[in-house]
Amino acid sequence: MENLRKYLPILTWGAQYSRQTLVNDLVVAGIVTVMLIPQSLAYALLAGLPPEVGLYASMLPLLMYAVFGTSRALAVGPVAVASLMTAAAVAQFADQGTPEYLGAAMALAMVSGLLLVGMGLLRLGFLANFLSHPVISGFITASGIQIAAGQFGPVLGIDVHGETLVDVLVSMYHNLGQLNTYTAAIGLASLGFLFWVRRGLKPLLLRIGLAERAADILAKVGPIVAIALTTIAVWSLGLEAHGVRIVGEVPQGLPAIALPPMDLSLWVKILVPALLISIVGYVESISVALTLAAKRRQRVDPDQELIALGMSNVGSAMSGGFPVTGGFSRSVVNFDAGAETPAAGAFTAVGIAIATLFLTPLLYFLPNATLAATIIVAVLSLVNLGAIKHTWHYSRTDGASMVATILITLTHGIEFGLIAGVGLSVFLHLYRTSKPHVAIVGQVPGTEHFRNISRHEVVTDPQVLSLRVDESLYFPNARFLEERVNQAVAENPGVRHVIIVCPAVNTIDASALESLEAINFRLQDGGIKLHLSEVKGPVMDQLKRSHFLEELTGEVHLTQYDAVASINPDLASGATDAPRASTGSSATG
Amino acid sequence: MENLRKYLPILTWGAQYSRQTLVNDLVVAGIVTVMLIPQSLAYALLAGLPPEVGLYASMLPLLMYAVFGTSRALAVGPVAVASLMTAAAVAQFADQGTPEYLGAAMALAMVSGLLLVGMGLLRLGFLANFLSHPVISGFITASGIQIAAGQFGPVLGIDVHGETLVDVLVSMYHNLGQLNTYTAAIGLASLGFLFWVRRGLKPLLLRIGLAERAADILAKVGPIVAIALTTIAVWSLGLEAHGVRIVGEVPQGLPAIALPPMDLSLWVKILVPALLISIVGYVESISVALTLAAKRRQRVDPDQELIALGMSNVGSAMSGGFPVTGGFSRSVVNFDAGAETPAAGAFTAVGIAIATLFLTPLLYFLPNATLAATIIVAVLSLVNLGAIKHTWHYSRTDGASMVATILITLTHGIEFGLIAGVGLSVFLHLYRTSKPHVAIVGQVPGTEHFRNISRHEVVTDPQVLSLRVDESLYFPNARFLEERVNQAVAENPGVRHVIIVCPAVNTIDASALESLEAINFRLQDGGIKLHLSEVKGPVMDQLKRSHFLEELTGEVHLTQYDAVASINPDLASGATDAPRASTGSSATG
């Protein structure tokens, strides 16, 4: 039962469900439904799919999330970046407008969903960590730029194709002659209106006395007004006869429950794009969920969230939909409107179902240009070029990862951009730790403290060389340690004892152990003893599982002071005749 | 001039060259030449090339290393693993025995050489670090097994093909009918003799009064005896007429200096195998060089070694050779025989040249079976199955990397095995650091020390939650930290202050900074202040380059004691009324 509760959070919150919560959740569902309808149509078009597919992807997935999800505010459904990724992935296997295209999109949702569920059951959520913040942030910025650029096609009535920003811009330039004045008028007017709604409406509403939260919500459902007005304009002025493209007939009725094409070779081919969509979607979703949960001190279980998001995608695949995830602005509206339980999401699904059953005829005259305008306004909030500057200023390696991810995504496509970004950030991380800081230390006179000889006035024994390593010892820096010890010994010919001081060493892996053994034997050949000092408990436990401690020519000392004292009691106590005092302001310390 | 000396170490040691050193180096060169002739022939055959190519690869490369190398004992030339890798790489582009095959092998040496020189000039030697010890050790073991298995073909007179151990064994089984009794007799006798030379000869020589070092060297040149005896046997008994395959006519004369095929598309195609050969060759070579240098307290410059090895390969490519690197047993003989300068290598090249000019007719009747036997005996020293047990015992993740590398190499080919091994070790490293140890700490009563509440009897304030993170904060664990703090706060509803204790944090990257900012804002939403304590100097410098310290709701304290004292002076001084003392023996600490 405990396990069932864990995998079905609905059992927990459902048991405490009250009439007051119900009323609350119903109101929230109404607001989110109004916001979700245009978004789901627009993102379906962005993914290259018929508009109704967006509605289908906003029903069963929401019910699934209500059953499996742990966040009380997350609103799942089609989102911009996942839709762009879907378009890029599916275009490799089928032509837009064909049943194969829709089938591939459904299969993509299915594989992505199964991967997420699998990751959740196997507790592999840490995989998402491999997307470093600069990489995901750069990727989303690049996706936003590319989506916005592409949507200027429908806004102006121009055909635009291409998988990279460069292709999109070139195709837009070539097709500029197709520009339709009526479409452009509607598109640009919608764009202007939506920008005003975003920037100017909220202050206005506040001025006329609305509460902050209500103003926020009203500003976010603004797109429905643009949709209503432009639909009426097209209908009343007969603009479709002048070449304004409209949504047209949207099938009325709920989607049939069916499996996506069970074509194993297709499933294998879409594995990599499905994995990328899964991880990007999960990272977006869990960030929103954690942020909103923290505001009310609620818990979100990251592994269960993988299962919930996976089941949502499986649900989408089985009801004619495409990949979905938790959307940022939608979840914030859900939260601000006061969603108390995931039931709000379930009621939203019902709202969308009602719309699909009864309201689709109203969408007939809706111009595509308006939907494209809503996408542009929505995705521009994803573009954060200022983050490049901050990140670069904070860390060169992180800044480089971010810039590379953006440039590669825009020039070589989104999948390659994402993979290259992850590869680069892992590489730069390994590079950064491959040459750790190693200081030669000496004793601060009259104390038991040891400090860098290039930074402090310390006493050293010419027979004893103490090297403090400020990093865990593992394969990226194992050989570096060998070289560093070799170099230090070659530079100090009188040395008889080398002490490696290990307070910052959190682990010693097999490569580093091999290096330590090599160092030990090489020093032995040169008549020098190797000692360790200040080894942490867990590291010592690990070393005891090898033969290293038996082979070690010197000893392991609890503290560096003990080490020096056992080798040269006179020096340690300050009574030596010939201390070598190093002082200085060298920058190497 | 200083720079010239750096890139041309010959200018340094050449200036001090004396007559005594000359005599010494000449003697060494004689010994190494005798050892190198059969090895170079055998490894050329292993690479699928005519035997003389092995001799060609043992001239100019040695001269190049003498000019550019920094190790006084390293002996470069064809080696087993690089030869196997060459065969696997070149077989993808050309059929064995064709001029294209030789051309591709030369191009491989050229690209590999240029990559190494480039890495040396750009100081990219750390790239070799990505081959963790378990991976390279597993890879060499697997290569040794595969080479040995394959060489049983020529030993028995059977045709054997295949790029994996499985393929090799299957093809051997199918062709078992080809077994040639004479060949098998020669091959197995050579094998037995060579094993005896390796195991039994040295003790015998020691017993009859030879010095240890001389016995070692004699035992290592043993193969030449097997070669002489079996060559005489074939010649005198006319065994080639009975189907014993012999080396046959080896062209007399030095190789022509010429460029490998300048086919850019070929160069691009062999880039990955060339990179793998470069890195594996470099890792083998630098390990030997460092070990031998340390015995005499000499310096080896790892970046210059890249250049030297690169130039050796360029030299090989330009004189009809194939990829070369520093060989282990050969370098040890060089060292034990007393090589004092890289000139010994240059003289060895002259020795090989003389052999190529005058002695190749003697090789006519040399049976391939004998050469195959020398390879088997040589490579079995590479196979170290015991290392699996030790490594597994020492660390599960390292053991898993090693086993996976061995299995994948044997079943899916050497290139894939190596790449998979590197990928897996990087992945396991990131995994290991993705969930760092985080302890909730409390104050040891009456002291300024803070310890894990699950391991020690400590005092905590229910309003203050102190989390000590025992790892650097960076992208693999950034989100984990958010979840951990969220969880801890949700479990301790009375908390008003969270302190992150950072003595083990060596770096905070942009992802972790983002997480800290998110934690800060989320805690603020919940009315909780975030503090940091014991932040290291360099990390503090980095944080100052961001806005985090301005946004931080709490403060940064030098020590954890200061942090607690500034929040609750009573508790810190031990005067509080309601300390919560946690004690216990929980295993989570």
Side-chain angles (χ1 to χ4, degrees), chain A residues 133 297 398 476 508 510-511 528, chain B residues 129 133 297 394 398 476 510-511 528:
Chain A
H133 184 79
R297 288 200 172 204
D398 282 316
I508 294 181
S511 301
I528 304 174
Chain B
N129 295 340
H133 185 80
R297 288 201 172 201
Y394 181 71
D398 281 319
S511 301
I528 303 174

Side-chain angles (χ1 to χ4, degrees), chain B residues 132-411:
Chain B
S132 71
H133 185 80
V135 169
I136 187 82
S137 157
F139 176 72
I140 286 180
T141 286
S143 300
I145 293 171
Q146 188 165 332
I147 293 171
Q151 293 302 310
F152 270 94
V155 159
L156 302 173
I158 298 173
D159 280 324
V160 164
H161 299 287
E163 303 228 331
T164 68
L165 180 66
V166 178
D167 292 350
V168 162
L169 294 179
V170 167
S171 107
M172 198 176 291
Y173 177 78
H174 281 303
N175 296 340
L176 214 56
Q178 298 175 356
L179 191 139
N180 180 294
T181 326
Y182 298 97
T183 306
I186 289 172
L188 295 174
S190 300
L191 206 52
F193 172 74
L194 290 169
F195 269 116
W196 172 77
V197 164
R198 184 165 279 248
R199 292 281 161 85
L201 181 60
K202 192 183 149 188
L204 189 72
L205 291 173
L206 290 177
R207 231 175 300 135
I208 63 170
L210 248 74
E212 168 101 26
R213 186 170 287 185
D216 258 341
I217 293 171
L218 263 182
K220 289 241 170 77
V221 298
I224 207 80
V225 178
I227 283 173
L229 292 178
T230 54
T231 303
I232 291 167
V234 171
W235 169 68
S236 59
L237 304 173
L239 294 183
E240 81 277 19
H242 293 89
V244 174
R245 283 187 218 171
I246 54 176
V247 166
E249 195 154 353
V250 176
Q252 253 175 303
L254 299 179
I257 297 298
L259 286 175
M262 305 303 279
D263 173 354
L264 194 66
S265 76
L266 174 68
W267 287 34
V268 170
K269 274 187 269 181
I270 60 179
L271 202 58
V272 171
L275 184 68
L276 297 180
I277 291 180
S278 300
I279 291 186
V280 170
Y282 175 66
V283 170
E284 262 190 277
S285 189
I286 192 75
S287 310
V288 183
L290 284 171
T291 301
L292 298 180
K295 285 183 194 263
R296 297 212 181 118
R297 288 201 172 201
Q298 292 160 344
R299 280 292 307 275
V300 170
D301 174 350
D303 285 315
Q304 178 62 24
E305 281 300 292
L306 283 165
I307 295 176
L309 211 56
M311 289 307 295
S312 300
N313 275 292
V314 170
S316 189
M318 292 178 64
S319 56
F322 66 114
V324 295
T325 189
F328 181 73
S329 59
R330 199 178 303 163
S331 301
V332 171
V333 168
N334 210 15
F335 180 86
D336 284 344
E340 292 195 10
T341 68
F347 299 143
T348 306
V350 174
I352 299 281
I354 293 169
T356 311
L357 282 171
F358 305 109
L359 305 181
T360 50
L362 296 182
L363 299 173
Y364 187 90
F365 289 105
L366 169 56
N368 288 351
T370 310
L371 290 177
T374 66
I375 295 183
I376 292 175
V377 176
V379 297
L380 283 184
S381 67
L382 302 179
V383 177
N384 183 0
L385 293 172
I388 300 175
K389 206 180 128 198
H390 292 147
T391 308
W392 179 264
H393 185 65
Y394 181 71
S395 148
R396 294 289 176 276
T397 53
D398 281 319
S401 293
M402 189 178 226
V403 170
T405 305
I406 293 176
L407 293 180
I408 297 172
T409 302
L410 291 179
T411 55

Side-chain angles (χ1 to χ4, degrees), chain A residues 43 46 79-82 84 136-145 147-148 198 284 327-329 375-387 402 406:
Chain A
Y43 293 142
L46 173 57
V79 303
V81 174
L84 177 70
I136 187 81
S137 158
F139 176 71
I140 287 179
T141 286
S143 301
I145 292 173
I147 294 171
R198 185 164 278 248
E284 262 188 279
F328 180 74
S329 59
I375 295 183
I376 292 176
V377 175
V379 297
L380 282 183
S381 68
L382 302 178
V383 176
N384 183 0
L385 293 172
M402 189 179 226
I406 293 176

Side-chain angles (χ1 to χ4, degrees), chain B residues 433-444:
Chain B
T433 56
S434 74
K435 296 198 174 171
H437 182 231
V438 175
I440 298 180
V441 297
Q443 189 176 12
V444 181

Side-chain angles (χ1 to χ4, degrees), chain A residues 405-476:
Chain A
T405 306
I406 293 176
L407 292 180
I408 297 172
T409 303
L410 290 179
T411 56
H412 290 77
I414 54 174
E415 283 178 16
F416 190 70
L418 196 57
I419 292 173
V422 171
L424 187 67
S425 59
V426 170
F427 176 83
L428 289 175
H429 155 63
L430 294 176
Y431 173 64
R432 200 174 41 194
T433 56
S434 73
K435 296 196 174 173
H437 183 230
V438 175
I440 298 181
V441 296
Q443 191 175 9
V444 180
T447 74
E448 296 191 4
H449 292 296
F450 287 73
R451 291 281 182 278
N452 192 335
I453 62 164
S454 345
R455 288 199 175 191
H456 302 271
E457 280 204 31
V458 293
V459 182
T460 58
D461 177 339
Q463 297 207 350
V464 180
L465 183 70
S466 302
L467 293 166
R468 193 191 69 218
V469 187
D470 291 349
E471 184 69 73
S472 288
L473 295 175
Y474 70 122
F475 69 92

Side-chain angles (χ1 to χ4, degrees), chain B residues 54-122:
Chain B
L55 296 171
Y56 298 166
S58 307
M59 290 185 247
L60 197 50
L62 279 71
L63 291 175
M64 287 290 193
Y65 188 81
V67 174
F68 294 100
T70 61
S71 161
R72 308 210 155 191
L74 194 73
V76 299
V79 304
V81 175
S83 300
L84 177 71
M85 294 178 83
T86 299
V90 174
Q92 297 168 31
F93 307 111
D95 290 330
Q96 208 169 308
T98 61
E100 286 73 31
Y101 191 93
L102 174 58
M106 288 165 66
L108 195 65
M110 180 58 95
V111 175
S112 165
L114 294 177
L115 283 172
L116 285 165
V117 172
M119 282 162 65
L121 293 176
L122 298 172

Side-chain angles (χ1 to χ4, degrees), chain A residues 74-128:
Chain A
L74 194 72
V76 300
V79 303
V81 174
S83 301
L84 177 70
M85 295 178 82
T86 300
V90 174
Q92 297 168 29
F93 308 111
D95 290 330
Q96 207 170 309
T98 62
E100 287 73 29
Y101 191 93
L102 174 58
M106 289 164 65
L108 195 65
M110 180 57 97
V111 176
S112 167
L114 294 176
L115 283 172
L116 285 166
V117 172
M119 281 161 63
L121 292 175
L122 298 172
R123 319 217 141 254
L124 294 178
F126 70 90
L127 281 176

Side-chain angles (χ1 to χ4, degrees), chain A residues 179-199:
Chain A
L179 190 138
N180 181 292
T181 326
Y182 299 96
T183 307
I186 288 172
L188 295 174
S190 300
L191 206 53
F193 172 75
L194 290 168
F195 268 116
W196 173 77
V197 163
R198 185 164 278 248
R199 292 282 160 83

